[in-house]
Amino acid sequence: MPVQTPVVTDHERTVARLEELADTRTALTDVRPGPLGTLDVYVFADGTTLCMTPGHRETAERLAEALRAGRTPVLLGGSGVSGAFALTFSYGDTDEENVYILADRVIASL
């Protein structure tokens, strides 16, 4: 029998999970840009997976490049905005090393 991962589907629980990832500064360990900007997948050290749509290839590639360079990104914060999400990742000490993501939909699996 396959292992099923619980999926956080409602907006408030997803926002709460984003807040927890930011509060604990959980490291981002993998970024998988989706084909043609359809869906990006972000994997954290604690096993949390965020699926975001629409994807944004440039943003995902910047975070993936930071990982390859040994500069571990962390989520600084996330918020729900009219049903959509705004997320901020950092992989350094300056504002130029921050990445901002707007997504219509974010699903977090734990």
Side-chain angles (χ1 to χ4, degrees):
M1 175 179 244
V3 176
Q4 293 186 343
T5 304
V7 175
V8 178
T9 56
D10 73 317
H11 189 78
E12 288 103 16
R13 288 180 56 199
T14 298
V15 170
R17 186 70 195 131
L18 294 172
E19 288 173 359
E20 184 176 328
L21 289 168
D23 288 346
T24 60
R25 298 189 59 83
T26 304
L28 187 66
T29 58
D30 191 17
V31 178
R32 301 175 204 146
L36 303 172
T38 55
L39 175 76
D40 291 342
V41 177
Y42 296 78
V43 181
F44 291 83
D46 70 351
T48 299
T49 301
L50 297 181
C51 298
M52 291 185 258
T53 186
H56 189 265
R57 183 166 284 297
E58 181 182 336
T59 302
E61 287 176 356
R62 278 183 64 191
L63 290 170
E65 179 57 36
L67 281 168
R68 286 190 292 274
R71 299 168 63 200
T72 305
V74 294
L75 181 65
L76 293 180
S79 60
V81 180
S82 298
F85 291 86
L87 306 174
T88 303
F89 285 89
S90 177
Y91 55 89
D93 296 326
T94 69
D95 286 342
E96 294 172 4
E97 296 166 322
N98 289 345
V99 174
Y100 307 96
I101 301 170
L102 295 175
D104 288 339
R105 182 156 175 101
V106 175
I107 299 173
S109 66
L110 309 171

